[in-house]
Amino acid sequence: GGNNVLYFYNYKTQELERIHIHPENSNIQPINYRVQKILPFKENKLLIATRQKGFFTYDCQTREIKAFTPDYPRYLLFSACIASDGNIYASYYGNGVCRFDSNGQMTARYTVEKSPLNNNYVMDILEHEGKLWMGTDGGGITKMDLQTGEFSFLTHITGDKTSLPVNSITKLYKDYNDNLWVGSVRGGVFSISN
C-alpha cells in the first residue's frame, strides 16, 4: 500500500496495478489515506488500516473497497491487529488503543487515563500467547490478557540485565517459529523468551 493506493502485481501481465482507496480526482490529501497495515480479514477480504481515515475493507473477488469504520481526523493510526477474540485493536499515536468489533463498532478505548495502559504512545501491536503485546514509545511493552483483561508490563530497569534494554519500542514481530522479536530506539533488535 501507499498514499491512497493499494498495489497489486498481475502475474499474467507482469505489471503493477493500482486501486485507489478514495477517488483519485477528488480534493483529498492522499497522505491521510496512507496504508499503515493490511490484514487478512473475513473470507476473501482484507482489512486496510489507513493513517488518518479509519479502516476499509477490500473484497479480493470484486475488487471493491468500502469504508469499515469512521475516520478519526484527530488521531494518527500507527498499528492494528486482529486478535483471536475476533476484535480489531488499533493504536493511535498519543491516544492509546481502541478496540473494534468485527462490524467496525468501537467497543473499548485503552488510555493512561482510562485503563492500566502505562503509555499512550503505542507504536506496534500483535497477539502472542493469548496476550495483546503493545510496544510503546517510552513505556516498554504492555501486555493485556485477552481473556481476563489484566495488564502486565515489561520495562527497562537500570542495572537489571534481564529487563528490556530500552523502553522505546518501535516494532514487534513474531517469526514462523513463534519467537518474538522487538525493534527499539537505541536498543537495536532483540528477542524475548520466557
Side-chain angles (χ1 to χ4, degrees), residues 41-67:
F41 193 41
K42 298 175 181 177
E43 188 176 329
N44 296 315
K45 289 190 179 174
L46 299 173
L47 189 64
I48 312 300
T50 65
R51 180 177 192 251
Q52 214 167 356
K53 293 297 180 179
F55 288 89
F56 293 81
T57 57
Y58 173 76
D59 188 309
C60 297
Q61 290 182 325
T62 65
R63 296 184 77 164
E64 284 184 302
I65 295 176
K66 293 182 181 175

Side-chain angles (χ1 to χ4, degrees), residues 118 133 139-143 152-156 164 166-167 192:
N118 69 347
W133 290 59
I141 296 172
T142 299
K143 298 188 291 181
S152 58
F153 308 93
L154 296 173
T155 59
H156 171 70
L164 296 180
V166 293
N167 281 327
I192 294 181

Side-chain angles (χ1 to χ4, degrees), residues 114-133:
K114 298 180 180 184
S115 74
L117 188 67
N118 69 347
N119 191 302
N120 282 335
Y121 294 88
V122 177
M123 309 303 285
D124 204 6
I125 305 173
L126 66 72
E127 182 179 352
H128 183 63
E129 298 177 344
K131 294 185 170 99
L132 193 68
W133 290 59

Side-chain angles (χ1 to χ4, degrees), residues 1-177:
N3 290 344
N4 191 37
V5 69
L6 296 175
Y7 294 97
F8 298 90
Y9 183 74
N10 186 323
Y11 286 96
K12 289 181 182 176
T13 64
Q14 296 185 350
E15 293 180 353
L16 203 58
E17 297 177 2
R18 302 183 319 168
I19 296 178
H20 292 278
I21 296 168
H22 193 278
E24 187 178 26
N25 58 359
S26 60
N27 286 334
I28 63 159
Q29 293 183 336
I31 194 169
N32 291 335
Y33 290 87
R34 175 184 289 156
V35 175
Q36 297 290 85
K37 201 97 168 194
I38 300 173
L39 302 165
F41 193 41
K42 298 175 181 177
E43 188 176 329
N44 296 315
K45 289 190 179 174
L46 299 173
L47 189 64
I48 312 300
T50 65
R51 180 177 192 251
Q52 214 167 356
K53 293 297 180 179
F55 288 89
F56 293 81
T57 57
Y58 173 76
D59 188 309
C60 297
Q61 290 182 325
T62 65
R63 296 184 77 164
E64 284 184 302
I65 295 176
K66 293 182 181 175
F68 183 71
T69 60
D71 59 357
Y72 295 96
R74 298 183 320 267
Y75 303 155
L76 290 176
L77 184 136
F78 258 65
S79 188
C81 160
I82 301 173
S84 60
D85 64 3
N87 290 306
I88 301 157
Y89 295 86
S91 67
Y92 294 91
Y93 191 73
N95 290 286
V97 173
C98 294
R99 181 182 70 203
F100 299 91
D101 65 19
S102 61
N103 297 313
Q105 297 299 312
M106 188 183 345
T107 57
R109 186 151 176 242
Y110 305 97
T111 63
V112 169
E113 297 80 19
K114 298 180 180 184
S115 74
L117 188 67
N118 69 347
N119 191 302
N120 282 335
Y121 294 88
V122 177
M123 309 303 285
D124 204 6
I125 305 173
L126 66 72
E127 182 179 352
H128 183 63
E129 298 177 344
K131 294 185 170 99
L132 193 68
W133 290 59
M134 298 171 266
T136 71
D137 188 9
I141 296 172
T142 299
K143 298 188 291 181
M144 182 180 77
D145 189 298
L146 291 170
Q147 294 224 335
T148 66
E150 291 181 17
F151 283 71
S152 58
F153 308 93
L154 296 173
T155 59
H156 171 70
I157 301 168
T158 304
D160 184 349
K161 293 184 182 198
T162 63
S163 72
L164 296 180
V166 293
N167 281 327
S168 289
I169 308 302
T170 56
K171 287 291 175 198
L172 299 169
Y173 176 76
K174 187 167 50 171
D175 70 21
Y176 293 110
N177 294 316

